[in-house]
Amino acid sequence: MVRRFVLMLAAAAMGASSVAPAQVLPADATNQVVAAVAKTLNEPLVTTPLSNDPLAPAQVAGSEEPALPVPADEEEPVAITRGASLGDTVAKLRRSEAGSRELECLAAGVYFESKSEPLAGQLAVGQVIANRADSRGRFPSSYCGVLTQRGQFSFVRGGRWPAVNKNSLQWKNAVAVARIVDADLHDSSVGKAMFFHARRVSPGWRLTRVAAVGNHVFYR
């Protein structure tokens, strides 16, 4: 059947030309053509899309590229339930890298102002920085802007802060607290407080006192 089909194609091709003389294929060549066509008919080309994108190119079956390994520093998804204990949430979110410059600024504020305090005190400090960033013009509109605003945080010098050992537990806790504040995963007792000072000082501010948490007193 296949041989007859190939010979018919060859005859049609030779008859379609009014210039070239008729040619007869040698038996060996005919057999080779028949074998090639038969192989093609018996092994259809199958393609599979690389993605759900209708414009994505097709890929020949059997030649798929192996899946790339997930980078070592790629973060695995973490299921967090709002309302879980602060300690449990911090334990799940501890990281040496904050993941963005903004979160690193927020973590630095938590770290340098309250790293030796209980987690509730660290959360309160982070909440004040976030409240300032959300103040709509009263303070800079970013965590980094709030942190580096002139005259606001004593550990900042020329827009920079001291080097941090990012492998320390205190830094990892500060990163976790920053992520909790940013994602609003846990309520803080300081609410909308915008200011705080250490308990050891008494600046005499004419502000509304909100709470005293850890080593700081908070105001709005």
Side-chain angles (χ1 to χ4, degrees), residues 54-218:
L55 298 181
Q59 183 175 7
V60 177
S63 62
E64 293 86 351
E65 294 183 1
L68 295 177
V70 178
D73 58 352
E74 188 82 9
E75 180 181 326
E76 294 292 334
V78 177
I80 300 296
T81 302
R82 196 182 193 284
S85 72
L86 181 58
D88 288 345
T89 307
V90 167
K92 289 182 178 180
L93 295 178
R94 286 188 184 112
R95 298 287 187 279
S96 59
E97 296 298 331
S100 72
R101 176 62 175 172
E102 281 295 293
L103 284 177
E104 185 174 357
C105 288
L106 181 54
V110 171
Y111 177 84
F112 286 107
E113 289 289 344
S114 59
K115 63 179 179 289
S116 61
E117 294 188 29
L119 294 177
Q122 297 183 46
L123 181 69
V125 168
Q127 189 63 57
V128 168
I129 297 173
N131 289 345
R132 288 189 175 191
D134 291 337
S135 63
R136 298 184 180 181
R138 191 173 178 185
F139 292 94
S141 60
S142 67
Y143 301 147
C144 292
V146 168
L147 197 70
T148 58
Q149 188 177 20
R150 186 182 296 276
Q152 296 300 307
F153 293 90
S154 60
F155 64 88
V156 177
R157 293 284 188 275
R160 298 177 179 274
W161 50 84
V164 178
N165 176 10
K166 292 187 175 182
N167 290 320
S168 69
L169 180 61
Q170 288 181 324
W171 171 254
K172 292 179 180 180
N173 283 342
V175 169
V177 170
R179 298 175 69 183
I180 290 169
V181 171
D182 181 66
D184 191 25
L185 295 176
H186 204 285
D187 292 329
S188 171
S189 60
V190 302
K192 299 297 182 182
M194 294 282 193
F195 306 90
F196 63 84
H197 65 73
R199 287 178 183 265
R200 66 178 182 274
V201 302
S202 181
W205 293 343
R206 293 182 178 180
L207 299 170
T208 301
R209 177 170 166 161
V210 175
V213 185
N215 297 329
H216 293 93
V217 183
F218 297 83

